[in-house]
Amino acid sequence: MLSRLALTWLLLLPATSHAFDWVPTDEELKKYRQSWNPFSEGPLLLQSVDIHPQGQLSVRPFLFSQISEKSYGNTLSSPSDAKNGPVHTYAVQPLLTFAYGLTNHVEVGASTSMISFWSKDTQSANAGRGGPWTTDTGMGDFSLIMKYRPIIQASDSARPSVTLYQQIVLPTGRWTGTERPPGGFAPLGRLPSTRFGELGFTEGVTFRKNMNPFRLSGGAYYTYSAPGSDNDQTTYVGDIINTRLIFEHFLNDKKGLAYNIEVVTVSTATWRADGHAVNRGAINGSTVVGVEPAVQFRFTDSLVGAVGVLFTVAGQNAADAIYPNFSIQWYWNKSGKVIMR
């Protein structure tokens, strides 16, 4: 899907000083490692584009929360047009992500999570039928991740790093009996957002460019959910498209101090890659656009962190919400010296 299209695009690039290689050369890798790239957390809402050196590991606890009391209608609109209800939802989702440099060009990882949510049907309450809270705490979904970087950025040109991303989401939340949150989604900032409790396959392409004192990165992801079942009927939900665009400005390189502006979108399509008609979820499609200001900082030579608040700026058939979030990331390298990827 998306990563195959990206590979085709890469192969059709005009020739520069040499033909396209399937991996960056040792000389390109060495020049990149010596270029400006402060040790820091990086964007909160994007899996790191440049990958770990071979043998380096990172562990990233990430806490994401959601406060939602309004929702958008069937047309793309701003928060001023969002209406109260019909569901009020409050959620907390801790995630734990592991990433390991299998080679200097391939990274493997895994992500697991839990979720707690409290939801109230305000329409039922307003109609005098009571408004009991629906709440649940349990295991979230588990993801297996692989990233391959065919192009590494060059400090003496405009060439960015380009990385291809693959992810398999296993519905461990459903397998362990965790109730599905309202709307069927984990919060907007999930990396990338996928439908809760469903087997999903994601392909993506990401880029990053360091330009002292700035870093610019972004990506696009396409997720296909396998067919489900409800009351002996096969269910088909729309495919999901995620995009990310992040601007970082470093104020102090040695302290890893920077602020970020992160723009994210999540859209549910009205189609599926397998051609089946959509009969569950947002049948008319949905879109939510969010902006997050964030600050990142460095604790030690192996520990960094960041904190931010994501809020929606536009939406269609989606929740209007704010999402406070916090991340720390611990690095380990078998050589004893951590290298910023």
Side-chain angles (χ1 to χ4, degrees):
M1 286 181 284
L2 191 57
S3 61
R4 297 190 185 96
L5 292 174
L7 275 174
T8 303
W9 175 75
L10 293 172
L11 291 170
L12 293 175
L13 283 173
T16 54
S17 58
H18 58 274
F20 174 78
D21 293 318
W22 287 102
V23 295
T25 65
D26 291 341
E27 181 181 356
E28 289 173 326
L29 188 60
K30 182 179 179 181
K31 288 177 66 177
Y32 169 65
R33 296 288 181 222
Q34 294 174 342
S35 65
W36 179 84
N37 192 17
F39 180 53
S40 66
E41 166 67 18
L44 279 159
L45 305 180
L46 179 74
Q47 289 277 7
S48 181
V49 175
D50 280 305
I51 66 176
H52 278 301
Q54 184 174 9
Q56 182 166 291
L57 167 76
S58 71
V59 180
R60 187 194 192 207
F62 180 46
L63 182 65
F64 206 86
S65 57
Q66 175 184 3
I67 303 170
S68 174
E69 296 183 348
K70 294 185 177 182
S71 60
Y72 295 101
N74 198 35
T75 57
L76 187 65
S77 55
S78 68
S80 62
D81 296 318
K83 304 300 183 183
N84 186 46
V87 177
H88 290 185
T89 300
Y90 311 90
V92 177
Q93 185 180 37
L95 294 94
L96 186 63
T97 300
F98 302 85
Y100 180 76
L102 190 64
T103 74
N104 283 324
H105 315 293
V106 176
E107 181 180 291
V108 293
S111 177
T112 188
S113 66
M114 294 188 67
I115 188 167
S116 294
F117 72 89
W118 301 262
S119 177
K120 185 175 183 179
D121 186 333
T122 58
Q123 283 188 339
S124 176
N126 293 339
R129 296 192 297 270
W133 288 90
T134 299
T135 181
D136 198 16
T137 297
M139 187 172 183
D141 294 334
F142 180 84
S143 299
L144 294 171
I145 302 161
M146 185 177 73
K147 296 190 291 183
Y148 159 60
R149 181 183 56 197
I151 295 178
I152 196 168
Q153 59 188 286
S155 58
D156 56 356
S157 76
R159 186 180 73 202
S161 293
V162 176
T163 298
L164 306 182
Y165 178 98
Q166 289 79 36
Q167 174 180 270
I168 298 176
V169 181
L170 303 178
T172 49
R174 174 165 55 85
W175 294 344
T176 56
T178 305
E179 189 167 340
R180 186 190 300 266
F185 280 105
L188 175 61
R190 186 176 165 82
L191 312 169
S193 296
T194 53
R195 193 177 296 277
F196 186 87
E198 294 182 2
L199 177 63
F201 304 89
T202 297
E203 295 194 38
V205 57
T206 61
F207 76 90
R208 186 172 81 163
K209 180 61 180 173
N210 300 336
M211 302 169 290
N212 187 359
F214 307 112
R215 288 199 297 222
L216 182 67
S217 54
Y221 306 85
Y222 190 97
T223 299
Y224 164 81
S225 295
S229 178
D230 182 21
N231 294 326
D232 296 326
Q233 179 184 9
T234 303
T235 59
Y236 302 99
V237 295
D239 293 345
I240 301 169
I241 301 167
N242 286 259
T243 67
R244 303 283 192 268
L245 182 64
I246 296 99
F247 170 83
E248 303 171 69
H249 180 196
F250 277 84
L251 305 175
N252 188 313
D253 293 1
K254 295 186 180 298
K255 294 182 179 180
L257 179 62
Y259 67 85
N260 311 350
I261 302 297
E262 309 187 23
V263 181
V264 303
T265 72
V266 178
S267 298
T268 303
T270 56
W271 68 83
R272 291 173 52 86
D274 59 15
H276 286 286
V278 176
N279 63 3
R280 282 295 188 278
I283 296 177
N284 296 321
S286 69
T287 296
V288 61
V289 182
V291 174
E292 171 162 297
V295 177
Q296 53 182 296
F297 36 84
R298 173 178 174 176
F299 295 108
T300 70
D301 290 341
S302 60
L303 186 67
V304 291
V307 61
V309 178
L310 173 65
F311 54 92
T312 56
V313 295
Q316 173 196 7
N317 294 329
D320 176 38
I322 61 172
Y323 305 89
N325 54 95
F326 173 75
S327 170
I328 58 174
Q329 192 160 194
W330 175 74
Y331 285 76
W332 175 86
N333 192 302
K334 62 181 180 181
S335 70
K337 181 178 174 55
V338 169
I339 302 173
M340 182 58 187
R341 51 185 179 175

